[in-house]
Amino acid sequence: MKRIVQCMAIASILFAATASAHESSGIASGFISGFLHPIFGWDHVAAMVAVGLWGAFLGSPALWILPVVFPLVMALGGALGVVGVAIPAVETGIAGSALILGAMVAFAVRPPIWVAAVIVGLFAIFHGHAHGTELPNAANALTYSLGFVLSTGLLHLGGIAFGHLVKWPAGKIAVQTGGGLIALAGAGFLSGVV
Amino acid sequence: MARVFLLSVLSLFPQAVLAHGQIEGLNDFYNGLLHPLWIPVHILVLLALGLFLGQQGPRRIQVALIATPTAIVAGLTGTLLIPAINIDVYLLIITIVLGLLIVIKPATARLWCTVLAALAGLLVGLDSSQESLTGLSWLVSALGNLLGACLLILYSMGLADYCQGSLWKKTGVRVIGSWVTASAFLVLALSRISS
């Protein structure tokens, strides 16, 4: 009962009406548009969940290193997008991230932690760049960036939660299947089918 | 339990928050108390500072806990002496530093804890200029501002300390640190371009 009420509290706070705060900067609208930006891109969603899945799959310390490395490097990619530095084939990189990261989970690839961090970091640049190019247009840059960083982190968390199922034999199959589906989605994004 | 339920019900019906320098209908103290919540960069700095201090543990932050409100007071007093200046860049830089420290979670020397806390407090205070207020109104608002800032720091300190109990929770705090750093870095990049 206590847990139900706690969940209600969290849910009601999350879905509370918009606070139209601050006379000059559209804080709420900036946060919401930033929060929705990754969610409205299936390629972003697939890759973010895959990062969480892979982290859970690799276990500690990857469990926290990957979800920490990703936003930090994503910020770098975002900064490049903000300053107008062009990165070739950003959308291809994003689609490729779903393919590669999904495949890593599907085939249970367990590289050294630094290799995993480098791979994740590499793809984070593409994702960050895509978000960063939108930043100058945001109603409030800080809340926009908070929004999309939070959204990204929550997608990672979803992947981690799912990836936790690897503790069970059937769960391991489910997680690898999930990775396979993400990889297929990535292939679809790359080929233009999806 | 009842309080949690009531809070959840009340949060379903929030009124629009029309935030600006002063909210009509609120007294000076309450305006000051809520002031840190209206400025996203202040929330970020105070959240990051609180998480950082909470991670370090009570032995290392004894002096920092005194230095922080002192520095905020110094900053608030400074707003009377110097004209309002844009110090967002410095606020963002200190946020990045604190965020990275939350991620790495090094055992930070007491001196550095104090210096960082004081610096953050001073910058928040300096950035809290209330030019429309004078005399007693200013003083009351400043007291509210000080209390609001300290409460934000204490809440996030409590959260970080509570989360030391398990790997999951410790990871969560580090992840929040990375989010804070990432957000601040992006806005800093944007502000550099804009300037």
Side-chain angles (χ1 to χ4, degrees), chain B residues 137-162:
Chain B
S137 295
W138 180 90
L139 181 62
V140 170
S141 176
L143 280 171
N145 202 332
L146 170 67
L147 183 62
C150 290
L151 282 173
L152 266 177
I153 295 170
L154 285 172
Y155 287 146
S156 40
M157 265 180 61
L159 176 66
D161 183 66
Y162 169 74

Side-chain angles (χ1 to χ4, degrees), chain A residues 113-131:
Chain A
I113 187 65
W114 69 270
V115 172
V118 165
I119 291 171
V120 163
L122 213 60
F123 289 127
I125 291 179
F126 292 110
H127 287 269
H129 192 274
H131 297 315

Side-chain angles (χ1 to χ4, degrees), chain B residues 108-163:
Chain B
T108 310
R110 192 180 292 189
L111 172 66
W112 286 112
C113 288
T114 306
V115 167
L116 284 168
L119 201 53
L122 181 67
L123 290 172
V124 167
L126 281 172
D127 198 46
S128 301
S129 171
Q130 293 273 20
E131 288 176 327
S132 61
L133 299 177
T134 55
L136 189 62
S137 295
W138 180 90
L139 181 62
V140 170
S141 176
L143 280 171
N145 202 332
L146 170 67
L147 183 62
C150 290
L151 282 173
L152 266 177
I153 295 170
L154 285 172
Y155 287 146
S156 40
M157 265 180 61
L159 176 66
D161 183 66
Y162 169 74
C163 289

Side-chain angles (χ1 to χ4, degrees), chain A residues 131-178:
Chain A
H131 297 315
T133 48
E134 296 294 319
L135 199 61
N137 304 322
N140 183 290
L142 182 57
T143 55
Y144 179 91
S145 63
L146 271 171
F148 84 73
V149 167
L150 178 64
S151 173
T152 300
L154 289 174
L155 287 169
H156 288 157
L157 198 65
I160 291 172
F162 181 23
H164 227 55
L165 294 175
V166 295
K167 284 189 292 190
W168 305 322
K172 193 161 176 279
I173 295 170
V175 169
Q176 286 182 261
T177 305

Side-chain angles (χ1 to χ4, degrees), chain A:
Chain A
M1 177 63 177
K2 188 176 172 182
R3 224 172 253 298
I4 290 171
V5 174
Q6 284 172 345
C7 288
M8 275 179 61
I10 292 167
S12 58
I13 288 166
L14 285 174
F15 295 107
T18 301
S20 302
H22 218 282
E23 59 188 352
S24 62
S25 55
I27 288 174
S29 59
F31 178 82
I32 289 169
S33 67
F35 188 85
L36 293 175
H37 194 257
I39 295 175
F40 281 167
W42 282 110
D43 44 2
H44 285 293
V45 173
M48 296 307 96
V49 172
V51 169
L53 268 182
W54 202 23
F57 200 79
L58 294 173
S60 185
L63 187 67
W64 68 266
I65 286 180
L66 299 190
V68 161
V69 163
F70 194 94
L72 290 177
V73 182
M74 184 175 71
L76 184 63
L80 293 175
V82 164
V83 303
V85 172
I87 291 181
V90 165
E91 292 301 322
T92 307
I94 291 171
S97 67
L99 173 64
I100 301 294
L101 293 171
M104 292 291 177
V105 175
F107 296 109
V109 177
R110 294 175 189 272
I113 187 65
W114 69 270
V115 172
V118 165
I119 291 171
V120 163
L122 213 60
F123 289 127
I125 291 179
F126 292 110
H127 287 269
H129 192 274
H131 297 315
T133 48
E134 296 294 319
L135 199 61
N137 304 322
N140 183 290
L142 182 57
T143 55
Y144 179 91
S145 63
L146 271 171
F148 84 73
V149 167
L150 178 64
S151 173
T152 300
L154 289 174
L155 287 169
H156 288 157
L157 198 65
I160 291 172
F162 181 23
H164 227 55
L165 294 175
V166 295
K167 284 189 292 190
W168 305 322
K172 193 161 176 279
I173 295 170
V175 169
Q176 286 182 261
T177 305
L181 289 172
I182 289 172
L184 271 176
F189 297 140
L190 273 174
S191 61
V193 169
V194 177

Side-chain angles (χ1 to χ4, degrees), chain B residues 4-71:
Chain B
V4 172
F5 180 74
L6 184 60
L7 176 66
S8 63
V9 170
L10 286 173
S11 63
L12 289 168
F13 303 101
Q15 298 302 312
V17 175
L18 301 171
H20 50 83
Q22 292 283 103
I23 297 180
E24 287 179 24
L26 294 183
N27 61 40
D28 293 323
F29 179 79
Y30 200 38
N31 264 304
L33 188 74
L34 296 179
H35 191 260
L37 294 176
W38 305 335
I39 305 172
V41 72
H42 283 203
I43 296 175
L44 221 51
V45 172
L46 296 170
L47 171 68
L49 178 62
L51 289 176
F52 167 68
L53 293 177
Q55 274 186 326
Q56 294 303 313
R59 282 193 304 124
R60 290 198 198 104
I61 65 170
Q62 286 167 345
V63 181
L65 287 177
I66 300 169
T68 307
T70 308

